[in-house]
Structures are given as structure tokens and as C-alpha cells.
Amino acid sequence: MVARIVSGAMSLSTVPTAADAGLPGDLVETVGMAVHASGDGTAFLNAAGFASALCDADGVIRLADERFTQWAMAGEGAQLDRLPPMRGGRVSLLCAPDGRTVAAAVASPASAGAWPLAEALKLRTGPGLYPVIICTPLAAIDPARSAFAQALGLTGLEARIVGGLMRSGDLRVAAKQGGVTYETARAATKAAMRKAGVHRQGALIGLCVTLQSGEPAEREALLPVLGELFGISARQAEIALLVAQGSSRDEAAEAIGASEHVIKAELKSVFTAMQVATVAALAIRISEVSILSRMVSATSMETVPAGAVEPLRLIPRIGRAGRIAVVDHGPRDAMPVLILHTATTSRHNPASFIRTLQAGGLRPIALDRPGFGLSGMVSGDYLAESAQDLADILDTLGLERACILARGGTMVLARFAERWSERIERAVVVNPEPPPDADRKRGGLLGAIKGLVYGQPWLTGRLASYLSRNASAAIVERLVTRSLEASEADLAVLRDPEICAAYVRASQHSALQGGAGFRAVATTEPFASVPAIGDGRMITIVCGAQDPLYSAADSLPRLQAAWPGCSVVIVPDGGRLVHFQKPELIARLLGDGDAQFRLRNGCGAA
């Protein structure tokens, strides 16, 4: 066993062994080391979602940043109930003299090198002083400008009431603090729940805490932490988590095979142990523990700087469970274009690419597909549900028609066009995938991964888990570079630091939710048929001749047969990332489809 340093924190890793049997050797070699089974990979956090302090070896708070002090426990007797570990970190309870507690992460300075610690405190860490992190006290947050209000599109009243509910855990208190009646507050909360795609207050609060601070821990990792921290049984921890995440008492009883009477009795014990009085307060407590647990167990960390807020919005699915993460870049009066991503990326795009589309008269709207990033997974037919997501986005935004840019998700576009072709203004498909039996590009790392997906689809779960656990920025950049090394065109694109950083970030976020989206795509899209439509003239297929993943000769025949009248553009010097390489071409094809433009830019039309 060997040790490695990742983002300032030491973690134990092992050279790949038989445990990784079945994964492509090129993949394991490129990653370099498989993280230890207990490692949780990269945690994605929002720097603005945390407050920080330093404690001494007895766990007593000695120094704190301004946000930490707004919890009103910044040093006068505030103390951790568990001492800082010699190595690594843990989640503890920070206790006030009056008995109030809050979850806190604490670690040795060497193990907390990547934690979102205030700059002034980083200079003071050293022997005898240990970093302490809590989720930002809600008193320090302006609800109207909060990450959760922006993401959910809350009105001022809704943000104020939800913020009050997050502070107090009690809707009546939130109503009084907000200067409105209880019924008004109740209506505002219900409106916020509809926008969030949830049905209960606990689920709403948990989502808001996550949007404010970052990625929560997986259920299996969180349950033992709850038991240790609050002294509750494994069954009580499971009940608490179910209820906090939005299950009713009946649903929780069914999930664990117990009576509703048992659930009620166990919840009473849980509320006492966790010092909460309502489900909303329980959700706040568990969400904070979950996010801090993820931070402590992560083998690396990626932090979004304070102020770097994308125009994210979470749209509830219409008549279905879950939500869709959408980034609407605007402007609102331009032609909307929905941007689909590949199986290994997500909603993030380079700013320069977005600006080029906007300059072409377009309104880029990027989304996370189901199971990717912040979009919930779907049940049933994955491709049909994915196409329904596009319709739900258009309906929610009040859009009759839109363009679609499929830089992945060709089968999703095909399903959407089959059912809603009249809602497509124009569509551009970039480097589409061929059916497995026609795909002749099987060399290198990408070929090895395709061979696994095509021939051993039962291993995609292991592959997704492996990629999810190895999603640090450095490893992802190495994987991307290795995958595209046969294309000088793509390597040239990635030499642009902005494009490279955005592409790496998009790839990292595809690993969220344990790689659920990747698993779904890998087991459906390669084997799906292309539904025929009567008129494909609104679709243009763009292929980079240097694409190292697919060949146009393999991909085009079935698409041209299914989409009669579609146009094809072959870019001789284009690669896998041809849309980033020639964004003006993509903007023009979506904007007006001028064939002469293709020829003037050195592109061949077929």
C-alpha cells in the first residue's frame, strides 16, 4: 500500500489489484492508482456555503471568521464534543454553553489543506490549532440572494419564508419573522416545493442546504455517522434519513418493514437525541451532517469560489417525480437552444462558447440529463423520460419552439423529434455515435471502454463507480488528454485553459450521484434504434474528421435513413470537440442553417 497527497490531504491508495478485474487496463493505468475502497472520491463544494474557525487540542474554539461568529458561539465557551483526530478528520458536535449544538468538521491541518477555510485563518493554522468548518449560519445569508433562491427561482416572499424555515425549523416562527400570516407562509412554502419538485418541507430544506453548501454524502456513508454522532441506533438513523428526505411516516414504515406506531416512537427518540422539534429542523441537521461527512471522507476536493454563481435553476418535472438542473444563459428575447451533453460530461460549457452562441442570436440553455449533476434520476424508459425532460423545460419556460444542440444524447434528440418535431426550430448533432455493430473505431483507451460497454454491459456499474471515485481535476484532465491524444485538433482546443477547465469540470460533475447517469446512458443509448421522422431537414449533423471516438462513415447511414433530408457537414480539421473548435459554425447552423457558410469555412457538405 502506498500513500499519496491529493489537494493537501493524505489518503491511502492501492495499486490496482484483482478487485479491479474486468476494467480496461488502459483506464487503470491512466488513473495511476485506484482510491482505497473507503475513499469517497472528489467532493464538490461551494466556498460561500461554509464558515470556519480554529480550535485548540481540547476542541475549544479560539479563532473564527465573521460568518462563524454569526452563529453566536465564536469562542466564549464553544467546544467540540470530540477532539480533533491526529490524522484525517471527523464530524463532531460543536456545543454552546447554553446547550445548543451544530455539526462541525474538524481535522488536523495537514488533512484539511483543501477545506474552504478563511484565508486569514489559514495563516494561523499550526501546532495546537485545528481547522473547524460548519455550514454557513443561516443568519449570515440573505435569502433573496441565496444560492437556493436563485436556483429554484423563488420570489422574494418565498425566499424569505424558506429562509426563515431554514433558520427556525418552524413555519409559524418563519411566518412571524417574515411579517406574514401562517396561511400566507404556508402557501409560499408550497409554491417553493412545487418549484423544487418535492412534496414535503423536509425535502425542500435538505435541497436548499445542499444548493447552499455542496454535495451530500451517500446514504451508506451517512448512516453510521448519524449513529455515532447522536447515539441513535442504526434503525433510528435510517428512519431519520427517510423522513428528512421527504418520506411520510407511512412510507418510512413500509421502507423498513415496521409499523407506523414504531416509526412514531422511534422518531420521538430521534428528535430528542438530535435536539430538534420538527421535520424541517431534522432535515437541516441531517443535511449539514451529510455535507460535512462528504467533506471529511473525500479523497480530493473541488471548491467553487465565492461569487462564482452560474444562472442555475432547478425545474420540477411535470407530473413526474424529480427535478431538472438547467442553466439559462440568456438573453430571454433570443432563440433558445437546449444543449445536451455526452455520457461523460454535464451542463458546464466554456464561457467563450456560450458567448459565441449568444453573439449568433441564440439563448443557450444547458441542462443536466437525468442522473447527471443536479438532475434527479428517472424511472422507466430512460430515453423517453430524457426526451420528456426537454418538453418539461420548454413548457416551464413558456417556450413553444427551440433549437437543440446534441453534443451527446443523439438518441434523446431522436425520441424528442419522434414525438415533438413541431417544437424543433433547428437541431445540430455533433459527432453522433454509431450502433455497436457498425463501430469500427476500437483502438486506445476509448476503444477499450467501448468494448466493455458494448460487450459487457453488466460491468458498467463498476466502471461508473471507478470513474466516480477517481474524479479529481488532475485525474480527469489526464483521462481526457489520454482519450483524445490521437487528435491534434482536440489537443489544440484543450490548450486553451478556459476550455480545458470547463471541460474537466463538466466531466467531474458527470460523476455525481455515483455515476448513475453514465450507467443509464451506457446501457441504453448504444443499443437503441433511431425512430424515423417524415422530414429531417431541420437537422444538421456535424462530424469532425479527426474525431478519435467515432467515424462519420459508421455513424451517418442509420441517421440519414431515419431523418430524410437532414444535412451533413464534415469538418476536415475538426475533432471530438469540434463544437468548441468552431463555435461560430455551430452558432450559424443553429441560427439559420446557411449552407454557403459551411463552404466558406472550409467545411464539406455531404
Side-chain angles (χ1 to χ4, degrees):
M1 185 172 287
V2 294
R4 63 171 175 157
I5 301 296
V6 184
S7 298
M10 178 174 288
S11 63
L12 292 178
S13 304
T14 57
V15 175
T17 66
D20 296 301
L23 295 181
D26 279 357
L27 174 64
V28 178
E29 177 188 352
T30 302
V31 168
M33 292 181 182
V35 295
H36 190 270
S38 63
D40 283 340
T42 301
F44 299 95
L45 306 172
N46 301 322
F50 299 93
S52 55
L54 298 176
C55 72
D56 61 23
D58 293 322
V60 177
I61 300 298
R62 297 302 181 189
L63 297 169
D65 67 20
E66 182 178 355
R67 283 180 293 182
F68 198 101
T69 63
Q70 295 192 43
W71 186 50
M73 293 177 62
E76 294 298 327
Q79 185 171 9
L80 295 168
D81 70 335
R82 290 169 176 80
L83 297 179
M86 293 296 294
R87 294 180 62 185
R90 67 159 55 101
V91 179
S92 299
L93 288 178
L94 185 59
C95 308
D98 62 6
R100 290 181 300 120
T101 61
V102 68
V106 59
S108 63
S111 298
W115 286 13
L117 196 66
E119 291 297 326
L121 296 181
K122 288 181 181 180
L123 301 175
R124 303 292 297 272
T125 58
L129 289 177
Y130 301 86
V132 178
I133 298 290
I134 64 173
C135 292
T136 300
L138 294 167
I141 298 172
D142 176 1
R145 296 187 175 186
S146 64
F148 64 82
Q150 293 180 34
L152 298 178
L154 302 184
T155 65
L157 172 62
E158 292 163 357
R160 193 164 73 250
I161 296 304
V162 172
L165 183 58
M166 293 172 69
R167 280 192 294 271
S168 66
D170 188 314
L171 187 57
R172 292 189 182 279
V173 174
K176 185 175 181 180
Q177 292 175 344
V180 298
T181 66
Y182 173 73
E183 290 303 320
T184 298
R186 191 163 175 262
T189 304
K190 285 187 174 182
M193 287 192 288
R194 285 194 297 270
K195 292 179 178 180
V198 300
H199 302 290
R200 291 186 173 85
Q201 286 183 16
L204 172 66
I205 297 307
L207 174 61
C208 289
V209 174
T210 296
L211 290 171
Q212 198 66 36
S213 299
E215 182 188 2
E218 295 290 336
R219 172 184 174 278
E220 292 75 13
L222 176 59
L223 290 175
V225 176
L226 293 175
E228 177 187 359
L229 204 58
F230 299 105
I232 58 179
S233 68
R235 182 167 74 169
Q236 288 171 337
E238 188 166 5
I239 292 170
L241 184 56
L242 285 168
V243 172
Q245 292 178 337
S247 294
S248 66
R249 288 171 172 78
D250 284 343
E251 291 166 342
E254 183 178 354
I256 69 167
S259 68
E260 187 177 357
H261 176 75
V262 168
I263 298 297
K264 185 176 181 180
E266 295 284 38
L267 274 178
K268 184 176 180 180
S269 298
V270 166
F271 278 29
T272 299
M274 291 194 179
Q275 295 182 311
V276 298
T278 65
V279 170
L282 177 69
I284 295 169
R285 178 77 87 177
I286 288 181
S287 297
E288 291 179 344
V289 172
S290 182
I291 292 166
L292 295 172
S293 296
R294 184 75 181 92
M295 179 192 301
V296 166
S297 63
T299 48
S300 65
M301 208 164 297
E302 300 295 334
T303 305
V304 178
V309 179
E310 61 182 349
L312 173 67
R313 180 174 176 186
L314 300 185
I315 291 176
R317 293 188 171 110
I318 300 175
R320 301 175 297 148
R323 59 184 175 271
I324 313 162
V326 171
V327 179
D328 186 349
H329 292 281
R332 293 178 63 85
D333 59 350
M335 170 59 70
V337 52
L338 303 182
I339 304 177
L340 296 172
H341 61 76
T342 67
T344 56
T345 54
S346 59
R347 68 183 183 271
H348 302 290
N349 288 277
S352 57
F353 179 67
I354 295 300
R355 287 195 299 269
T356 300
L357 295 184
Q358 291 170 328
L362 299 168
R363 172 186 175 182
I365 303 173
L367 60 126
D368 281 332
R369 295 167 62 187
F372 288 86
L374 292 175
S375 287
M377 180 48 85
V378 291
S379 58
D381 185 329
Y382 182 77
L383 296 178
E385 291 291 313
S386 299
Q388 183 67 57
D389 275 3
L390 304 188
D392 286 357
I393 292 170
L394 295 182
D395 290 343
T396 301
L397 298 181
L399 303 171
E400 288 295 325
R401 296 168 63 86
C403 296
I404 298 177
L405 171 59
R407 58 185 187 94
T410 304
M411 295 300 109
V412 178
L413 169 62
R415 291 290 191 94
F416 186 83
E418 177 189 29
R419 186 172 176 185
W420 293 288
S421 63
E422 74 282 357
R423 304 194 71 172
I424 301 176
E425 185 72 26
R426 279 174 291 277
V428 169
V429 180
V430 177
N431 287 324
E433 62 276 17
D437 58 0
D439 189 0
R440 292 172 291 181
K441 281 199 171 183
R442 300 293 187 94
L445 173 59
L446 293 176
I449 293 176
K450 285 196 289 184
L452 183 150
V453 171
Y454 294 163
Q456 299 172 284
W458 57 88
L459 287 179
T460 55
R462 176 177 293 179
L463 176 60
S465 176
Y466 185 82
L467 293 172
S468 178
R469 288 186 288 115
N470 290 275
S472 71
I475 290 178
V476 169
E477 185 171 351
R478 187 157 70 243
L479 282 169
V480 168
T481 303
R482 177 73 183 274
S483 299
L484 301 178
E485 63 185 359
S487 169
E488 178 54 37
D490 290 314
L491 295 181
V493 170
L494 291 174
R495 291 188 190 108
D496 183 318
E498 181 206 356
I499 293 178
C500 185
Y503 195 70
V504 167
R505 185 185 182 201
S507 300
Q508 287 182 292
H509 279 236
S510 73
L512 296 180
Q513 305 186 48
F518 174 83
R519 287 197 301 272
V521 171
T523 54
T524 57
E525 289 199 358
F527 313 103
S529 60
V530 183
I533 60 175
D535 185 355
R537 286 178 296 175
M538 76 282 201
I539 301 175
T540 300
I541 305 171
V542 176
C543 297
Q546 296 185 32
D547 178 10
L549 186 57
Y550 301 125
S551 167
D554 299 338
S555 303
L556 291 176
R558 68 169 177 166
L559 297 179
Q560 290 175 307
W563 300 335
C566 68
S567 301
V568 175
V569 174
I570 306 295
V571 183
D573 60 343
R576 183 75 193 152
L577 306 179
V578 65
H579 53 299
F580 295 156
Q581 182 185 7
K582 295 185 180 295
E584 294 86 359
L585 170 63
I586 301 299
R588 189 60 179 270
L589 291 175
L590 288 167
D592 63 14
D594 183 357
Q596 292 304 312
F597 177 84
R598 309 170 198 164
L599 299 177
R600 288 198 301 271
N601 282 269
C603 305

